[in-house]
Amino acid sequence: MASKRAFLQGIQDENIEPRTRRFEEPENPAKKASKDEKDRFGPTPAPSGKEFLRDEKKINMKTAHIRLQKDLKTVNKRAKNASQKAEMLKILEPTEYGAMRKTGKIYSQKEIESVADVQTMQKKFSLDLDMGPYIARYDSSGRHLLLAGELGHVAMIDHYTKMPKCEFSVKEKISDAIFLQNEKLMAIAQKKWTYVYDNQGTEIHCLKKTDRVNKMNYLPYHFLLASINRLNYLSYIDISIGKEIYCKRVSEEGSLNVICNNRTNGIIHLGHTTGTVTLWSPNSDKFVAKMLCHRSNLISASVSNDGKYMATSSQDASLKIWDLRTWKCLTTKRLPRGAHQLQYSQRGLLAASFANVVELWKHPWEEECRQPIMQYKTALVPTTLEFCPYEDVLGIGSKKGFESILAPGAGEPNPDSWQYNPFQTKKQRAETEVRMLLEKAPVDTICLDPNLLAKLDQDAAEVFDEEQLKRVGFKPDRKFEPRVRKRGKGKTGAKEARKSKMREAAFKKHLVAKREKESKQKIVKGEQAKNVLARFMKKDD
Amino acid sequence: MEDIKILSRNPSHYKRETKTELHPVHRNISKNSNPLETVREYQRALNAQKLERVMAKPFVGALEGHTDGVSIIARHPSKLNVLWSGSQDGQIRKWSLTSRKTTKKIQAHDGWVRGLAVSKTDKIVTVGVDKQIKLWDGDEFSDSPEIATIIGKSPFTSCDFALIKDESSKFITSSSVVEYWDSTRSDPIRRWQWGHDSYNRVKFNPVETDLACTTVSDKSVVLYDVRADEPMKKLKLDMQSNGISWNPQQAMLFTVANEDNNLYTFDIRNLGSAFAIHVDHTDAVLDVDWSPTGRELVSASYDRTVRIFQQGKNRSRECYHIKRMQRVFSCAFSGDAQYLMCGSDEGNIRLWKTVAWAKTGVLNFRQKQSLQYSEALKKKFAHHNDVRRIARHRHLPKTIYKERMKMQTMISSRKRKERNLQAHSKPGAVEIKSIAERVVEETME
């Protein structure tokens, strides 16, 4: 962006002469690269492409296999080139991200509103509703808003155009509501069972297996609906095939009220009253991992979009940020009260609410960040906090109804049209749904490391040796390093040949030893056989 | 720079203005926008692999017309559309591959047409069981097709044109001797003989145009240099070879199709061991042809199948079979390596695609892109078990499947016995020879 700005400034400079002839041939840029020109535009930084690199470390494997080494080198080089090109392509992105740049200052909504344009101000609105504390959820493309009041009122509106799509009453107590794969289906956890409704309000399914649900969570790439129960059961339903694939009783003390998911690997985090967070995947009977986060009751948790950080808050008014790869606590922050709602935005802003205050933290994992970057006072205690995907908007559901506030720097500006498109037509929505179904990640792949499929199997040699040990009773010594020879005799192929010779010789030796042992055993057996029969012989013989 | 900036999206960037335009598509390929990328790519690779098997329809069509079995087919070296074939009733036909129709019919010989060669200047040479060599003008608009006839002493078995630049009048034939002719003369320029056996096939090297290779009925393969008086090298195998083909990209490699169901590729610099052994046929291999790319070869076998092998690999990539196709006597690749032809016993020549799932015709940019992406995905995840299992899956006729199972048990038991023998005998008593070396019995100069 800096170079773009510099280029535009350069055009307005007086030193450039206006073109006199219309059909002048474009000058050869190589000729005109004089010193002055270079200084004016400044040096263009080479694209680093770091944010597009998938593997943070280069694949490095110590191997004497020349071909494999060459292949790894080309793989690393290709990845670097691709990430640099991807960085250069960023110039094609149509929308820029928002930000609140000053550090050390607490912004207020009034300041933000003073800078906002008409279109942005339309996104900030509030609805006064009176059917109980409201649960506000956005769908995956950020276009539709689902409002579910505890007394049974359900409404779905398109919050760009403020047009209501459907509104109906469920006539029962609602504990949680959530959008499924897109705005076509929504799941509402009612008093007894969970129901799935259409975007017109028609009841499609009644899921009797998930009963007395407290909270629900949806994993978009696996098409899994995870729900936690009043009887402490965690269950997963695959909504593409409609089957309950997992139902286990969580044996931690206390009721289950805190659930959040890690978007990068599909693992569900559950918070308990013992202050622990357990990580669950439908592939194991027990939790995958357990973290002791707080000394007292855990009241909320949220995992960041990139899967690196988890924010937890407990009754003892502390907010802790955990690194999910090293399992260590990065910082502890003191809040006036325990944060009842915690939510990470797409670009890393953390929203925390306690009493009737909503705070936004920027880069909370840093030690230097001691205060939030924005504070907002709501009329009544918020029940849900949810960032609108792809917008700089935070939706707050409370007893009063619903209100959305501006949160600059929260939303990802450029959605991938192949996945989530806020401006999608009916046909595009249907095609996206089909494509997502075709690419549905199978349940077996949910594990702590999502990139396990692409990793090199580096302990293959050890596994082979173990198997050989079982089969033949002999394990070759792989640590033999042949003497370094010079004068053209130190080639890798020759070295490998010598190594394999040594291994073969060792194997032959082992075979010889084995044969001798067996022959000895035969003799011993023969003698024993005689002795065994000896007792049946007559004493004279 | 302002200290507060709010995301403001312009809807016109994301919507199309008129119905005739395409919907704008914006991609975000950063890591955060694509969680679980590896898993989803793996699913896409699986789908691509399954689609490949669904789209694998290699049979294009049949060239029907011959009334007796097709004994030999030869493609025109520079025209993609032209194919010549000779049948067991002595008739040769010129085909147009696009229309799959005969463009010229000539009654060439009295019995089998044993050999047929086409030159760049549209000249054809055919040899037959009736001891005659005939030269034809293959041009469609010529009045009299026959140019010359040469009568030999014994029934001929094959012929090949010398690929010299300017002339197309020199050719080599094999019968009980190997003879090198000039069409203007009635006596051969050179005559070679090594022992008293009959010669089966002869082929010129397309790159090193002075080298030729023949297969002999005493189970050997002989190499010649046309400039020399004596044959160069002899290589003895276990069983007789039926067909030869030189690699058009790597002049030192040639492949022989052998009676013992295998194809052997040799490097002329080291005839002591086979360069590669291609195993998969269940009956004698009758003909072999290298692709113009030098990467693949096609083999026609007595077991009613045509198989495609890759250079250096010993198992076949594809096996083409059809219920109506009986013993396949000859095969050839097309000039652009996209198609292959095979002539069989019931008188039909069949046209197949080399890449069974390839989409023919002109593809637009989006189609090409999506096919390229599928290929890249399949390559990336090719080693995963599920993907590999689907990629390997082929339907084989029951007889061939059963034969292969039988061969597998035979080969594995043989190997096991050899290993036991080696393990339980004095070290050094049993000679360890690689399979490639065992192929060659002896070599002579």
Side-chain angles (χ1 to χ4, degrees):
Chain A
M1 295 298 133
S3 55
K4 194 178 173 185
R5 218 171 270 271
F7 176 65
L8 289 168
Q9 278 174 2
I11 282 180
Q12 291 160 12
D13 212 331
E14 293 163 328
N15 287 341
I16 296 181
E17 286 173 354
R19 277 211 179 144
T20 47
R21 288 192 298 172
R22 253 189 101 194
F23 300 102
E24 214 172 21
E25 271 185 356
E27 286 157 319
N28 196 352
K31 284 186 193 169
K32 259 245 166 171
S34 62
K35 257 194 181 179
D36 301 335
E37 299 266 332
K38 273 187 188 169
D39 287 339
R40 186 195 301 151
F41 295 138
T44 36
S48 65
K50 270 187 191 167
E51 80 176 80
F52 294 97
L53 259 183
R54 281 353 187 209
D55 283 318
E56 275 149 11
K57 290 186 222 167
K58 274 194 206 170
I59 312 170
N60 265 326
M61 231 178 85
K62 266 196 175 178
T63 168
H65 209 270
I66 310 172
R67 183 113 180 253
L68 185 57
Q69 264 188 353
K70 267 191 186 171
D71 286 346
L72 288 175
K73 259 191 190 172
T74 50
V75 162
N76 284 324
K77 202 176 171 188
R78 219 185 290 154
K80 194 180 168 193
N81 275 338
S83 62
Q84 282 178 347
K85 279 192 180 163
E87 172 119 9
M88 288 199 279
L89 280 179
K90 268 176 96 168
I91 220 164
L92 288 174
E93 287 176 356
T95 321
E96 281 190 12
Y97 57 83
M100 287 184 280
R101 284 203 184 87
K102 272 195 186 165
T103 50
K105 180 182 170 180
I106 302 183
Y107 289 90
S108 65
Q109 273 291 296
K110 276 194 181 163
E111 283 177 334
I112 297 168
E113 281 175 31
S114 63
V115 193
D117 55 358
V118 176
Q119 196 189 25
T120 320
M121 280 308 289
Q122 281 182 347
K123 296 175 192 170
K124 180 181 160 57
F125 65 98
S126 72
L127 298 168
D128 285 341
L129 306 160
D130 56 353
M131 293 286 267
Y134 273 81
I135 296 161
R137 299 257 184 249
Y138 289 99
D139 77 329
S140 47
S141 63
R143 182 83 186 232
H144 300 267
L145 170 66
L146 171 67
L147 295 167
E150 210 170 280
L151 296 176
H153 177 217
V154 178
M156 183 167 93
I157 59 175
D158 174 350
H159 76 95
Y160 278 32
T161 57
K162 313 283 183 307
M163 296 283 285
K165 288 274 167 140
C166 79
E167 191 173 354
F168 56 97
S169 173
V170 180
K171 297 178 192 122
E172 268 188 329
K173 182 171 177 247
I174 293 177
S175 22
D176 202 6
I178 197 169
F179 270 116
L180 294 179
Q181 84 280 15
N182 48 25
E183 76 271 17
K184 280 229 113 196
L185 288 181
M186 51 182 146
I188 295 179
Q190 294 173 208
K191 186 171 132 192
K192 254 193 184 171
W193 300 307
T194 315
Y195 291 80
V196 176
Y197 293 93
D198 197 0
N199 61 351
Q200 308 288 335
T202 33
E203 182 191 314
I204 308 255
H205 298 290
C206 171
L207 306 168
K208 291 203 173 153
K209 291 225 161 169
T210 49
D211 59 331
R212 288 169 272 190
V213 168
N214 266 342
K215 290 250 166 84
M216 294 190 291
N217 208 293
Y218 179 65
L219 299 169
Y221 295 104
H222 307 269
F223 282 78
L224 287 178
L225 177 65
S227 53
I228 44 179
N229 213 333
R230 251 167 272 159
L231 303 173
N232 279 19
Y233 278 88
L234 168 68
S235 79
Y236 285 85
I237 289 188
D238 189 334
I239 60 163
S240 58
I241 56 175
K243 275 197 182 165
E244 185 188 57
I245 58 165
Y246 184 86
C247 184
K248 282 269 148 40
R249 190 169 190 284
V250 174
S251 55
E252 291 289 308
E253 273 180 31
S255 61
L256 288 175
N257 268 313
V258 179
I259 183 171
C260 69
N261 70 344
N262 187 343
R263 215 168 139 262
T264 53
N265 55 14
I267 290 214
I268 297 277
H269 295 232
L270 298 179
H272 305 280
T273 49
T274 50
T276 52
V277 167
T278 46
L279 278 66
W280 294 82
S281 120
N283 292 323
S284 69
D285 287 338
K286 260 178 78 177
F287 49 77
V288 172
K290 189 170 168 182
M291 296 165 66
L292 178 62
C293 292
H294 291 272
R295 291 264 174 87
S296 64
N297 193 4
L298 203 92
I299 48 177
S300 62
S302 179
V303 179
S304 68
N305 244 25
D306 51 9
K308 288 186 197 171
Y309 310 109
M310 177 169 75
T312 56
S313 175
S314 83
Q315 204 88 62
D316 62 3
S318 65
L319 168 72
K320 287 197 180 187
I321 311 288
W322 301 85
D323 185 339
L324 283 178
R325 287 174 299 179
T326 57
W327 310 104
K328 286 195 179 146
C329 177
L330 293 171
T331 48
T332 313
K333 299 198 196 304
R334 288 268 144 215
L335 301 171
R337 251 166 268 196
H340 274 272
Q341 316 293 334
L342 274 179
Q343 194 70 230
Y344 262 105
S345 83
Q346 278 176 327
R347 295 198 88 244
L349 274 189
L350 176 64
S353 84
F354 46 86
N356 66 337
V357 177
V358 174
E359 288 186 343
L360 283 179
W361 295 76
K362 183 180 175 186
H363 298 305
W365 60 87
E366 287 169 5
E367 281 289 346
E368 303 87 58
C369 173
R370 283 172 222 282
Q371 55 183 5
I373 199 154
M374 198 194 89
Q375 261 183 353
Y376 177 71
K377 282 201 172 146
T378 58
L380 292 172
V381 175
T383 22
T384 54
L385 281 185
E386 185 147 324
F387 279 100
C388 180
Y390 311 113
E391 290 291 342
D392 274 353
V393 158
L394 174 63
I396 306 168
S398 64
K399 200 166 185 185
K400 183 165 159 278
F402 170 79
E403 64 184 311
S404 70
I405 59 170
L406 299 174
E412 168 63 51
N414 299 296
D416 192 357
S417 303
W418 283 9
Q419 289 178 61
Y420 306 112
N421 186 357
F423 300 94
Q424 60 191 0
T425 59
K426 260 195 217 172
K427 236 187 180 179
Q428 281 183 322
R429 182 185 67 195
E431 280 184 16
T432 317
E433 203 179 321
V434 170
R435 201 186 294 125
M436 295 283 271
L437 274 170
L438 282 173
E439 294 171 2
K440 179 183 110 169
V443 171
D444 314 11
T445 56
I446 300 179
C447 54
L448 283 173
D449 183 9
N451 290 326
L452 213 58
L453 272 175
K455 292 212 164 146
L456 290 165
D457 195 4
Q458 283 185 303
D459 46 20
E462 290 157 24
V463 172
F464 179 76
D465 286 346
E466 291 296 311
E467 283 182 349
Q468 197 179 28
L469 186 68
K470 276 186 209 169
R471 210 169 14 115
V472 188
F474 174 75
K475 188 169 151 187
D477 179 23
R478 292 224 176 240
K479 291 187 184 166
F480 165 68
E481 277 295 325
R483 187 166 52 103
V484 172
R485 284 198 186 164
K486 293 184 184 169
R487 295 202 185 158
K489 292 185 183 174
K491 291 189 182 165
T492 322
K495 256 204 248 174
E496 289 294 304
R498 266 184 286 154
K499 276 191 194 174
S500 61
K501 246 193 195 174
M502 290 296 291
R503 265 184 260 140
E504 270 176 37
F507 182 60
K508 275 193 182 159
K509 230 182 169 182
H510 160 76
L511 273 182
V512 165
K514 192 176 167 188
R515 232 183 299 134
E516 278 182 27
K517 209 178 168 187
E518 274 174 4
S519 62
K520 275 186 191 167
Q521 276 183 350
K522 268 186 184 172
I523 297 167
V524 171
K525 266 189 183 173
E527 284 172 358
Q528 274 183 354
K530 278 185 190 170
N531 290 340
V532 163
L533 291 172
R535 55 194 167 109
F536 297 111
M537 301 286 195
K538 284 185 183 174
K539 279 186 189 172
D540 307 324
D541 301 331
Chain B
M1 297 210 213
E2 328 87 45
D3 58 338
I4 304 179
K5 201 169 75 162
I6 308 180
L7 191 165
S8 181
R9 197 168 284 127
N10 184 352
S12 63
H13 286 308
Y14 297 88
K15 292 187 192 171
R16 63 178 183 183
E17 286 175 8
T18 60
K19 274 196 176 179
T20 53
E21 288 175 13
L22 292 170
H23 287 286
V25 166
H26 299 280
R27 299 276 287 132
N28 188 336
I29 43 180
S30 72
K31 216 164 145 183
N32 280 343
S33 297
N34 291 290
L36 292 165
E37 220 175 13
T38 326
V39 178
R40 284 157 63 211
E41 275 204 334
Y42 172 71
Q43 286 301 112
R44 282 183 211 155
L46 258 183
N47 291 339
Q49 191 62 69
K50 288 177 189 170
L51 262 183
E52 179 202 284
R53 288 287 97 222
V54 166
M55 297 299 174
K57 294 173 186 166
F59 183 57
V60 178
L63 288 78
E64 294 159 345
H66 274 296
T67 49
D68 211 344
V70 173
S71 55
I72 190 136
I73 60 175
R75 68 170 175 93
H76 196 285
S78 53
K79 289 185 188 165
L80 287 178
N81 203 11
V82 172
L83 178 74
W84 283 88
S85 64
S87 79
Q88 291 165 8
D89 62 357
Q91 195 186 61
I92 61 171
R93 281 178 182 237
K94 182 182 184 183
W95 303 86
S96 151
L97 287 173
T98 44
S99 63
R100 285 182 242 141
K101 292 212 163 92
T102 312
T103 51
K104 204 164 187 186
K105 252 190 291 186
I106 305 169
Q107 185 59 39
H109 291 275
D110 260 338
W112 273 49
V113 175
R114 267 289 163 79
L116 201 158
V118 192
S119 79
K120 272 190 194 163
T121 56
D122 267 331
K123 299 274 182 302
I124 316 294
V125 64
T126 62
V127 292
V129 171
D130 57 356
K131 304 180 192 175
Q132 285 183 354
I133 305 170
K134 289 203 173 165
L135 275 168
W136 309 90
D137 188 0
D139 196 15
E140 267 157 44
F141 308 108
S142 65
D143 297 322
S144 56
E146 187 170 336
I147 302 173
T149 313
I150 304 169
I151 303 174
K153 291 177 190 162
S154 49
F156 289 102
T157 49
S158 87
C159 63
D160 195 17
F161 260 117
L163 299 144
I164 315 166
K165 261 189 203 171
D166 303 321
E167 313 164 60
S168 64
S169 56
K170 296 214 172 120
F171 55 91
I172 196 171
T173 61
S174 63
S175 55
S176 55
V177 291
V178 177
E179 289 165 323
Y180 186 48
W181 303 82
D182 188 330
S183 58
T184 50
R185 300 218 217 138
S186 60
D187 280 317
I189 308 172
R190 285 209 200 284
R191 180 178 282 138
W192 297 284
Q193 202 172 13
W194 193 330
H196 297 277
D197 296 293
S198 62
Y199 294 83
N200 251 334
R201 281 291 179 100
V202 68
K203 265 266 165 82
F204 263 116
N205 190 331
V207 182
E208 293 289 329
T209 47
D210 294 312
L211 290 178
C213 179
T214 60
T215 63
V216 196
S217 64
D218 70 344
K219 309 171 192 173
S220 63
V221 174
V222 184
L223 288 172
Y224 298 90
D225 188 326
V226 146
R227 301 165 287 195
D229 282 334
E230 297 286 317
M232 279 197 327
K233 283 188 185 180
K234 187 172 187 176
L235 159 69
K236 258 203 160 173
L237 298 170
D238 221 7
M239 288 178 102
Q240 196 185 18
S241 302
N242 288 323
I244 316 163
S245 183
W246 289 89
N247 187 331
Q249 295 295 330
Q250 288 176 295
M252 68 280 195
L253 296 178
F254 70 92
T255 311
V256 287
N258 209 314
E259 280 281 322
D260 69 347
N261 315 351
N262 297 343
L263 294 114
Y264 299 102
T265 311
F266 291 98
D267 184 333
I268 54 176
R269 301 170 295 188
N270 176 21
L271 288 175
S273 72
F275 179 79
I277 307 173
H278 306 287
V279 181
D280 248 342
H281 277 294
T282 55
D283 216 332
V285 192
L286 300 176
D287 196 14
V288 64
D289 189 33
W290 275 96
S291 153
T293 61
R295 292 295 182 96
E296 296 193 322
L297 55 91
V298 63
S299 62
S301 150
Y302 194 71
D303 69 356
R304 302 161 220 240
T305 60
V306 167
R307 280 188 190 255
I308 303 178
F309 294 88
Q310 283 165 317
Q311 192 234 51
K313 300 232 167 105
N314 71 333
R315 302 305 292 273
S316 64
R317 195 199 83 188
E318 286 276 13
C319 173
Y320 292 157
H321 57 90
I322 259 186
K323 265 193 189 162
R324 288 182 181 231
M325 183 164 77
Q326 302 304 315
R327 321 287 179 181
V328 196
F329 277 104
S330 55
C331 59
F333 258 100
S334 77
D336 58 357
Q338 306 293 341
Y339 298 93
L340 57 98
M341 288 81 76
C342 64
S344 64
D345 209 6
E346 11 66 71
N348 290 333
I349 302 165
R350 284 183 177 80
L351 197 58
W352 306 82
K353 285 191 222 166
T354 348
V355 177
W357 57 91
K359 202 167 158 62
T360 51
V362 181
L363 303 172
N364 69 28
F365 176 71
R366 276 171 155 195
Q367 278 175 314
K368 264 191 240 166
Q369 244 195 347
S370 132
L371 287 169
Q372 270 177 9
Y373 183 50
S374 305
E375 291 295 319
L377 279 172
K378 280 185 274 182
K379 206 177 167 189
K380 180 175 177 181
F381 290 98
H383 304 289
H384 284 256
N385 284 338
D386 282 334
V387 178
R388 200 176 64 206
R389 186 178 58 90
I390 297 168
R392 268 186 330 149
H393 179 263
R394 297 284 186 281
H395 173 255
L396 287 175
K398 208 183 208 178
T399 44
I400 292 174
Y401 180 73
K402 296 243 159 126
E403 270 297 318
R404 280 248 47 95
M405 289 285 128
K406 249 197 260 173
M407 299 213 88
Q408 267 179 19
T409 45
M410 278 159 59
I411 291 167
S412 64
S413 79
R414 235 180 268 157
K415 266 193 190 166
R416 183 175 38 88
K417 286 177 184 173
E418 273 176 24
R419 238 188 264 138
N420 285 342
L421 182 68
Q422 194 201 355
H424 296 282
S425 49
K426 199 174 168 180
V430 176
E431 212 185 301
I432 307 164
K433 236 186 171 183
S434 71
I435 301 172
E437 280 174 5
R438 263 182 269 179
V439 155
V440 177
E441 288 207 357
E442 54 174 310
T443 58
M444 295 173 241
E445 290 287 316

